[in-house]
Amino acid sequence: MRTSGQFLWRTAGLLSLLSFLLFATGFVLAMNPQQLAPSTASPPAQKEQPPSPLPEKGVHKVVALGDSLTRGAGDANGQGYVGLVRQALEKKSGQSITFTNLAINGQESSELLKQMSQEQVKKLLAEADLILFTIGGNDLFRQTGGLYTIEKEKVTTALNQLAVNYEEILKQIRSVNKTATIVYTSLYNPFGNTEADIDTIGPVLDWNNQASQIASRYPQVFVVPTYDLFLRKEQNYLFTDHFHPNAEGYKRMADRILQALE
């Protein structure tokens, strides 16, 4: 028998999902506004294009931070989304990019902050033109009472601390580099086709919403949604561990990030 608290949390999760789907649709349309125009309409007057999210001088140095998603765990090709983004940017510019991947499998946000206090890491961040990072999945999903059991109170505490750490991560990056483009890739739900589906919708989407709100307070920080890329497609795009993306899943993430950087 379900408690009223479980019912309310699941209801909130469904509402969060609907809100996210509206956000994701808005993101795609913002990247591709022609989809809003009827096919028979006259072409709109040419307007000056907004500046690229990337630095005018181009991208010469990329630094990647975070957890196993940025490390590329689950990709048999060994690239992950960061390798694909780098490859695409090099092809577009015709120039090689200095790339440093500092991500660590299993890393949580508190551990990332400690890593960022190292002088060599600060130096690399200070010289970067583009900074890519993922964090938060381990913070949330290690608070479970088993693979498919979510303990609400632990997750709520983890969400609150993650928000504090995430903002501190952005502050520290900006303290050493005022101009680099920062891309945070938000979370998908690896439990989408399991019994934990409804119980994990709320925490994941609540976090993605918080991440976007916090990032909006800092210049040149872009939060790229991925939830919809895996929704009801887990079997196709997750690795056999049912947690990390496979090669095709990482390709979808990279394509979304490149779309945001156009």
Side-chain angles (χ1 to χ4, degrees):
M1 181 175 179
R2 301 189 186 283
T3 66
S4 59
Q6 286 177 315
F7 175 78
L8 289 173
W9 199 26
R10 290 182 173 218
T11 302
L14 289 172
L15 291 174
S16 296
L17 176 58
L18 291 174
S19 299
F20 170 79
L21 292 175
L22 288 172
F23 168 73
T25 301
F27 177 88
V28 172
L29 290 174
M31 296 298 106
N32 200 357
Q34 291 85 350
Q35 294 183 41
L36 289 173
S39 58
T40 57
S42 301
Q46 293 294 320
K47 294 183 179 179
E48 184 178 348
Q49 292 295 317
S52 169
L54 293 174
E56 290 184 11
K57 64 179 181 178
V59 176
H60 304 286
K61 293 185 178 182
V62 176
V63 173
L65 298 166
D67 51 29
S68 53
L69 293 181
T70 297
R71 197 74 239 170
D75 183 0
N77 299 321
Q79 288 188 301
Y81 80 89
V82 290
L84 294 170
V85 169
R86 173 198 182 187
Q87 191 176 69
L89 292 176
E90 285 183 332
K91 183 177 180 180
K92 183 177 180 179
S93 68
Q95 298 179 341
S96 63
I97 291 173
T98 301
F99 175 71
T100 306
N101 192 339
L102 300 173
I104 299 172
N105 290 343
Q107 186 157 245
E108 296 185 14
S109 58
S110 58
E111 295 166 328
L112 176 55
L113 279 171
K114 291 178 183 177
Q115 183 188 26
M116 291 174 62
S117 68
Q118 299 171 16
E119 290 304 317
Q120 181 60 26
V121 174
K122 289 181 181 179
K123 183 176 185 297
L124 289 167
L125 289 172
E127 296 173 350
D129 305 305
L130 174 63
I131 298 167
L132 306 169
F133 80 105
T134 56
I135 204 70
N138 295 312
D139 294 65
L140 299 186
F141 296 131
R142 282 182 178 168
Q143 310 308 317
T144 62
L147 183 59
Y148 302 131
T149 305
I150 302 299
E151 297 183 20
K152 181 182 175 182
E153 291 185 3
K154 288 185 177 180
V155 172
T156 299
T157 300
L159 273 170
N160 293 336
Q161 189 59 53
L162 175 57
V164 172
N165 292 344
Y166 173 80
E167 180 147 25
E168 186 61 28
I169 289 166
L170 295 179
K171 283 181 180 178
Q172 289 199 21
I173 293 175
R174 279 288 171 251
S175 72
V176 297
N177 190 323
K178 305 294 185 186
T179 60
T181 298
I182 302 171
V183 176
Y184 172 71
T185 303
S186 61
L187 302 182
Y188 57 87
N189 185 6
F191 305 117
N193 61 344
T194 73
E195 294 178 0
D197 180 16
I198 297 300
D199 289 334
T200 51
I201 288 174
V204 172
L205 294 182
D206 283 350
W207 164 245
N208 289 343
N209 182 53
Q210 285 191 62
S212 295
Q213 290 182 357
I214 294 169
S216 69
R217 302 199 282 265
Y218 296 84
Q220 284 296 100
V221 179
F222 299 87
V223 175
V224 176
T226 64
Y227 194 100
D228 60 309
L229 299 180
F230 295 87
L231 183 63
R232 302 295 179 257
K233 306 179 187 75
E234 295 86 359
Q235 201 68 32
N236 295 326
Y237 299 121
L238 288 184
F239 186 55
T240 54
D241 64 3
H242 210 284
F243 192 84
H244 298 97
N246 57 24
E248 284 301 311
Y250 279 118
K251 183 179 184 303
R252 289 169 70 81
M253 291 173 65
D255 288 345
R256 176 63 64 79
I257 292 167
L258 290 165
Q259 186 182 27
L261 292 176
E262 285 293 326

